[in-house]
Amino acid sequence: MPTPSMEDYIEQIYLLIDNKGYARVSDIADALSVHPSSVTKMVQKLDKDDYLVYEKYRGLVLTSKGNKIGKRLVFRHELLEQFLNLIGVKEENIYEDVEGIEHHLSWDSIDRIGDLVQLFEENDDLLKSLRDIQTKNADG
């Protein structure tokens, strides 16, 4: 299982490849606000662990293992953003909050949050009840 740091890299590489068709060391460094040398070290580790194939000066591609994990990590991130938005977390806090919690939740917890998101989306009355409670508590 990848470490939280490895997950950040895999997720970012997945997003770059999905959006641009490729991921260069410099793109990854910019996206994660780290030095290119740090990216190179991590990419070499991810290559060794079969998450991607890296050829110096030629770029990198995710393996099927890396692609599968990358897709799941992006799903987790988007689901947590959606959940925090649904429950009324201020927009300016959502990204940092997700970054702070995403590596600390089990996949079981992620799946249960997904169930809650689905419940709220399928039952407008529940979402309205939540908003009513939030308004009452804010006034109280």
Side-chain angles (χ1 to χ4, degrees):
M1 201 62 200
T3 65
S5 180
M6 291 167 76
E7 286 183 348
D8 286 339
Y9 278 85
I10 294 168
E11 181 180 3
Q12 196 56 58
I13 291 165
Y14 180 89
L15 286 169
L16 284 166
I17 291 172
D18 192 48
N19 293 330
K20 295 173 76 173
Y22 61 89
R24 297 181 314 211
V25 168
S26 59
D27 296 325
I28 300 163
D30 288 345
L32 294 174
S33 300
V34 297
H35 292 286
S37 60
S38 299
V39 174
T40 300
K41 286 178 192 167
M42 179 59 81
V43 163
Q44 289 168 341
K45 178 167 180 35
L46 292 170
D47 181 33
K48 184 174 139 298
D49 292 347
D50 296 321
Y51 293 106
L52 56 81
V53 176
Y54 173 65
E55 293 180 40
K56 196 171 182 179
Y57 306 117
R58 302 205 69 203
L60 55 94
V61 292
L62 289 170
T63 61
S64 59
K65 174 182 171 181
N67 197 57
K68 181 180 176 183
I69 290 175
K71 186 175 187 174
R72 185 123 163 102
L73 294 171
V74 169
F75 167 79
R76 175 181 71 186
H77 189 98
E78 291 172 350
L79 176 68
L80 290 171
E81 283 186 351
Q82 185 181 9
F83 175 67
L84 294 180
N85 187 37
L86 261 176
I87 63 171
V89 174
K90 292 178 185 160
E91 189 69 36
E92 63 266 19
N93 296 330
I94 290 177
Y95 181 81
E96 287 297 318
D97 286 352
V98 169
E99 287 298 310
I101 64 174
E102 66 183 339
H103 300 295
H104 301 285
L105 295 173
S106 68
W107 286 105
D108 183 42
S109 293
I110 296 298
D111 290 340
R112 299 302 65 81
I113 289 170
D115 295 342
L116 270 175
V117 167
Q118 183 178 351
L119 178 70
F120 280 128
E121 288 180 337
E122 292 176 359
N123 297 279
D124 289 338
D125 55 320
L126 287 177
L127 196 54
K128 184 188 178 319
S129 294
L130 176 63
R131 298 281 181 257
D132 292 344
I133 288 169
Q134 290 170 333
T135 300
K136 180 179 142 197
N137 289 342
D139 293 342

